[in-house]
Amino acid sequence: EIIGLWWGDIKTHNEVLCYDFNRVNMVLKETPSTKYARRRTPVVDVIKPYIDNYKLKFNRGNPKDDTPLFSHAFGTPDADGKYSKTASKRLRYWLEQVPSIKHQRDNSVIGLNTHSLRHTFKMILEGEIENTTVINKVTGSGLKGMEIHYQWEEIRQFPKLLNILNKTNFSFINGEE
């Protein structure tokens, strides 16, 4: 999903910087199990410096909203309009460099699932967020029953969600344990 983002998809919602996966022409994997891929997800603070630094490579730090974040980085799209297969091949080496991390809740070692970073992200969040509905909403995973109606994107909820996500240990992104 990140591969499909344009610079205009990183925007503020209730004073919280977020990835907005709601653009009408964004190509997402929308099978019955991932039909919740259309969402807004807060950008955690540890990622913001990377975004700001990367932005400098585009039009002197002022990319146009319709400029893909990873323009030409992954070749041509797959037949379905996505870049997932190409991105997986090109990122394989780097994904294998990410060290295993410890599960937040019970300190057990989690081997990163490089096929599904969504799954890895969900495992990390389980250590900080007890509410699986919130985890599923943030990661765009399937919702069941009453979960479907859970409105975490409401104005009053979004800053709270960012606060929770910022408390989550994402230090592995920097190569730390």
Side-chain angles (χ1 to χ4, degrees):
E1 294 165 350
I2 295 291
I3 305 290
L5 286 174
W6 292 354
W7 281 104
D9 298 326
I10 298 178
K11 53 180 132 187
T12 302
H13 174 68
N14 192 34
E15 300 181 19
V16 174
L17 188 66
C18 64
Y19 305 108
D20 190 334
F21 297 99
N22 291 303
R23 182 172 29 90
V24 175
N25 62 344
M26 181 180 281
V27 180
L28 294 174
K29 184 177 187 177
E30 295 186 75
T31 63
S33 65
T34 59
K35 69 180 182 179
Y36 302 99
R38 297 213 178 268
R39 66 197 185 282
R40 289 184 192 102
T41 299
V43 177
V44 293
D45 289 348
V46 71
I47 295 293
K48 289 177 185 176
Y50 293 102
I51 291 172
D52 292 341
N53 187 41
Y54 186 61
K55 193 178 210 179
L56 297 174
K57 297 180 181 194
F58 294 85
N59 196 25
R60 298 182 185 165
N62 292 310
K64 294 180 180 176
D65 283 352
D66 63 351
T67 302
L69 256 69
F70 303 103
S71 57
H72 310 298
F74 296 103
T76 57
D78 303 328
D80 57 6
K82 298 180 292 188
Y83 290 84
S84 53
K85 290 182 181 85
T86 307
S88 292
K89 287 177 188 173
R90 292 206 180 169
L91 293 174
R92 189 96 189 126
Y93 169 80
W94 298 105
L95 291 172
E96 291 171 356
Q97 304 308 306
V98 177
S100 294
I101 57 171
K102 293 186 178 177
H103 193 283
Q104 306 279 354
R105 203 173 282 160
D106 64 9
N107 218 24
S108 61
V109 173
I110 298 173
L112 293 182
N113 180 337
T114 56
H115 174 71
S116 174
L117 288 177
R118 181 190 318 265
H119 180 71
T120 298
F121 190 53
K122 285 176 72 168
M123 290 190 311
I124 292 166
L125 290 176
E126 286 173 0
E128 296 293 329
I129 302 173
E130 301 265 341
N131 187 331
T132 57
T133 301
V134 173
I135 294 171
N136 288 337
K137 278 287 218 178
V138 167
T139 60
S141 301
L143 301 174
K144 298 176 181 106
M146 290 304 292
E147 288 182 327
I148 294 168
H149 305 290
Y150 186 72
Q151 297 297 317
W152 66 273
E153 284 188 351
E154 288 178 8
I155 298 292
R156 62 183 166 68
Q157 297 293 345
F158 221 59
K160 291 179 188 177
L161 178 61
L162 177 62
N163 188 40
I164 291 168
L165 292 174
N166 280 334
K167 289 179 182 174
T168 303
N169 182 6
F170 291 109
S171 59
F172 74 93
I173 291 170
N174 297 322
E176 303 167 15
E177 238 184 90

